[in-house]
């Protein structure tokens, strides 16, 4: 019988049957996500090149980089986005990074991780790669429709901000008055939100944000995060664990940034995202060590990707770092992480036996040879590179090569890639 002539009740049963099949398919996808993998997909029409790894269906987050730089190019500042209704994957975009689950629609809502570059950068990316946000075939609402920068930007449901320097909040402030849709939450530690409130003060910028849930007339809602070792739900099936970081000091004293463990609650998959950070080795109060100790037990089973800044190339004086990393200091941090991993998971059974023959309760300190391949299965993405105004080779490529050479010489085992504007990453 043709569907055109089906009784209404039969058509209803058919629709229900299709809906049940779809729900079963999504459930099977969640089960498959128990086996974790990472693949990277960079649209070939986007100029910055990156390594493309084999595609895999076992994915929790999909990530697109809206901006990955740390200046001076204001069109390529930190911003990621990803979907907020995780089903099979979740998409993320850096310095603004947007995040969305693979099987959900962009219209379902996305999370903006940082807010440096925004709608203008999205528009430029889509001019070069118009199918980047193509709705999936079979979407009953928007089959095959390409989305505009305004469509994607209006789908943002909340912002997750590491600190309130302008290259991390620029688009959030400038675009606040034109935001559409439901009220947006801004998640950050209280000090960062207070810094934002000093901008939304009706003098520097109109006051478009409020601390009160009941103030529905305000487009933005401040939602403080507490660095207390717990995970805080920020959207259905997505939670965040917050750690304070050092980001240099100024006339007012030390300045703090944040690191976030972002977890897909249904699968347990996590990735780690650093805001701007200075080396622990030159900090008066080391803080990154606490992040590494929390990360070590998760590598590589549940934590397989780390986004961390490397703003300057090798050779920059400590006095001119301003709370940032160079390749040598990033290597130091990764060695600390590798050492923490080996404390939990020795390199070999023989190393574990050796430990048993040492003095009772004495913990063996891993050596340089012990940490070889300690970070196998982990991918490290370099962010926040500050482009030099001159030179034919992009600074991102120079720093990437420097970091790779140092990491390979130590044999740490991790893959090192540079986040680039327009890149699509799956975790």
């Amino acid at each position: 019988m043709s569907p055109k002539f089906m009784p209404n009740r039969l058509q209803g049963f058919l629709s229900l049957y299709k809906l049940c099949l779809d729900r079963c398919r999504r459930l099977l996808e969640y089960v498959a996500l128990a086996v974790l993998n990472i693949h990277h997909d960079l649209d070939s029409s986007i100029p910055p090149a990156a390594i493309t790894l084999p595609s895999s269906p076992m994915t929790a987050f999909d990530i697109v980089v809206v901006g990955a730089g740390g200046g001076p190019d204001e069109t390529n500042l930190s911003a990621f986005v990803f979907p907020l209704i995780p089903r099979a994957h979740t998409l993320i975009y850096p310095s603004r990074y947007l995040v969305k689950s693979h099987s959900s629609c962009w219209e379902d809502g996305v999370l903006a991780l940082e807010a440096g570059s925004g709608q203008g950068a999205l528009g430029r990316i889509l001019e070069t790669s118009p199918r980047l946000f193509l709705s999936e075939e079979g979407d009953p609402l928007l089959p095959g429709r390409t989305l505009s920068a305004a469509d994607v930007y209006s789908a943002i449901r909340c912002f997750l901000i590491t600190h309130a320097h302008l290259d991390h909040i620029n688009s959030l402030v400038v675009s606040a008055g034109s935001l559409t849709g439901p009220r947006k939450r801004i998640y950050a530690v209280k000090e960062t939100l207070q810094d934002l409130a000093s901008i939304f003060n009706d003098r520097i910028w109109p006051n478009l944000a409020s601390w009160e849930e009941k103030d529905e007339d305000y487009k933005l809602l401040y939602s403080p995060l507490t660095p207390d070792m717990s995970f805080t739900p920020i959207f259905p099936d997505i939670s965040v664990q917050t750690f304070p970081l050092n980001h240099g000091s100024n006339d007012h004293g030390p300045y703090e940034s944040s690191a976030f463990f972002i977890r897909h609650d249904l699968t347990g998959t996590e990735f780690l995202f650093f805001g701007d950070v200075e080396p622990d080795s030159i900090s008066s109060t080391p803080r990154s060590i606490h992040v590494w100790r929390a990360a070590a037990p998760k590598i590589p089973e549940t934590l397989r990707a780390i986004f961390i800044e490397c703003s300057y190339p090798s050779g920059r004086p400590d006095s001119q770092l301003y709370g940032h990393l160079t390749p040598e200091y990033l290597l130091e941090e990764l060695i600390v992480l590798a050492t923490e991993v080996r404390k939990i998971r020795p390199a070999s059974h023989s190393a574990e036996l050796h430990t048993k023959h040492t003095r009772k309760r004495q913990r063996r300190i891993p050596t340089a040879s012990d940490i070889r391949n300690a970070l196998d299965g982990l991918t490290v993405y370099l962010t926040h590179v500050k482009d030099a105004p001159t030179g034919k080779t992009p600074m991102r490529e120079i720093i990437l090569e420097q970091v790779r050479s140092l990491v390979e010489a130590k044999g740490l085992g991790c893959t090192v890639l540079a986040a680039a504007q327009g890149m699509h990453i799956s975790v």
Side-chain angles (χ1 to χ4, degrees):
M1 181 183 294
S2 169
K4 181 177 179 180
F5 301 103
M6 283 185 182
N8 290 340
R9 180 176 296 180
L10 183 57
Q11 291 189 43
F13 280 130
L14 181 59
S15 298
L16 180 61
Y17 174 71
K18 290 181 178 179
L19 179 63
C20 290
L21 280 180
D22 181 63
R23 294 296 185 267
C24 290
R25 176 182 62 81
R26 291 175 183 171
L27 178 61
L28 289 174
E29 287 174 340
Y30 280 135
V31 173
L33 279 171
V35 182
L36 301 175
N37 199 358
I38 294 178
H39 80 267
H40 315 263
D41 178 19
L42 175 63
D43 190 289
S44 58
S45 61
I46 296 293
I51 294 177
T52 301
L53 302 181
S55 177
S56 167
M58 310 305 178
T59 306
F61 297 96
D62 283 319
I63 302 168
V64 175
V65 181
V66 178
D73 181 1
E74 71 278 6
T75 66
N76 184 21
L77 300 175
S78 294
F80 293 76
V81 294
F82 57 96
L84 290 177
I85 303 182
R87 295 175 191 166
H89 303 38
T90 298
L91 291 179
I92 303 177
Y93 296 63
S95 281
R96 166 79 57 73
Y97 295 75
L98 302 177
V99 183
K100 163 189 117 44
S101 72
H102 175 72
S103 58
S104 67
C105 305
W106 285 100
E107 292 83 350
D108 289 336
V110 299
L111 166 64
L113 175 53
E114 304 283 48
S117 294
Q119 193 167 164
L122 276 171
R124 191 176 72 170
I125 292 170
L126 289 172
E127 286 178 2
T128 310
S129 182
R131 298 175 64 84
L132 185 61
F133 296 96
L134 181 68
S135 296
E136 293 185 10
E137 292 184 6
D139 182 340
L141 298 177
L142 299 165
R145 172 192 160 190
T146 56
L147 301 179
S148 68
D151 290 332
V152 176
Y153 204 82
S154 65
I156 293 173
R157 295 293 177 264
C158 60
F159 297 85
L160 182 60
I161 307 296
T162 61
H163 63 294
H165 280 166
L166 284 177
D167 56 327
H168 295 257
I169 64 168
N170 176 67
S171 71
L172 168 60
V173 174
V174 173
S175 66
S178 59
L179 289 171
T180 60
R183 193 179 186 192
K184 325 293 184 186
R185 287 183 177 269
I186 308 174
Y187 288 100
V189 298
K190 187 174 182 179
E191 291 79 5
T192 296
L193 296 179
Q194 289 171 336
D195 289 341
L196 267 171
S198 70
I199 296 174
F200 289 118
N201 64 356
D202 282 331
R203 294 183 63 83
I204 298 175
W205 206 254
N207 185 12
L208 302 172
S210 171
W211 296 90
E212 299 295 332
E213 293 268 1
K214 62 184 179 181
D215 291 340
E216 293 292 339
D217 292 338
Y218 292 85
K219 293 177 177 289
L220 300 167
L221 175 63
Y222 298 124
S223 300
L225 295 172
T226 303
D228 59 2
M229 300 300 292
S230 64
F231 275 87
T232 301
I234 62 172
F235 208 84
D237 303 327
I238 294 181
S239 298
V240 171
Q241 185 182 27
T242 307
F243 282 80
L245 298 174
N246 293 314
H247 182 22
S249 59
N250 51 43
D251 292 341
H252 301 285
Y255 186 83
E256 290 187 5
S257 177
S258 302
F260 298 126
F261 287 89
I262 300 175
R263 183 180 69 190
H264 182 266
D265 295 331
L266 296 180
T267 64
T269 303
E270 298 178 30
F271 68 91
L272 172 57
F273 187 89
F274 277 79
D276 296 356
V277 57
E278 74 175 359
D280 263 5
S281 59
I282 64 173
S283 176
S284 58
T285 307
R287 284 180 162 174
S288 297
I289 180 61
H290 304 299
V291 181
W292 299 135
R293 286 173 177 164
K298 305 175 183 181
I299 295 173
E301 287 76 15
T302 58
L303 178 64
R304 302 193 65 187
I306 294 175
F307 295 81
I308 188 167
E309 70 126 290
C310 192
S311 296
Y312 298 113
S314 299
R316 191 172 180 90
D318 290 356
S319 61
Q320 297 178 21
L321 289 182
Y322 310 115
H324 293 292
L325 297 178
T326 62
E328 288 75 15
Y329 281 126
L330 176 55
L331 177 67
E332 280 187 8
E333 298 294 334
L334 293 177
I335 288 174
V336 172
L337 173 60
T339 302
E340 293 300 321
V341 170
R342 282 295 180 242
K343 287 178 182 178
I344 296 167
R345 189 174 59 252
S348 65
H349 185 62
S350 59
E352 194 170 346
L353 289 176
H354 175 80
T355 305
K356 293 180 180 179
H357 291 293
T358 59
R359 191 172 58 190
K360 187 177 181 180
R361 296 187 181 276
Q362 180 181 1
R363 174 171 288 186
R364 179 173 177 268
I365 300 175
T367 65
S369 60
D370 290 336
I371 64 173
R372 293 189 66 83
N373 296 316
L375 303 184
D376 187 35
L378 178 69
T379 302
V380 177
Y381 292 92
L382 308 183
T383 66
H384 205 265
V385 171
K386 293 183 178 291
D387 290 323
T390 58
K392 294 182 179 180
T393 304
M395 185 56 66
R396 181 187 67 256
E397 295 180 18
I398 294 173
I399 292 178
L400 174 61
E401 183 56 35
Q402 291 174 347
V403 174
R404 279 181 176 167
S405 297
L406 292 168
V407 168
E408 289 171 5
K410 288 293 183 181
L412 297 183
C414 56
T415 299
V416 181
L417 302 174
Q421 192 171 47
M423 181 184 281
H424 169 208
I425 303 166
S426 295
V427 177

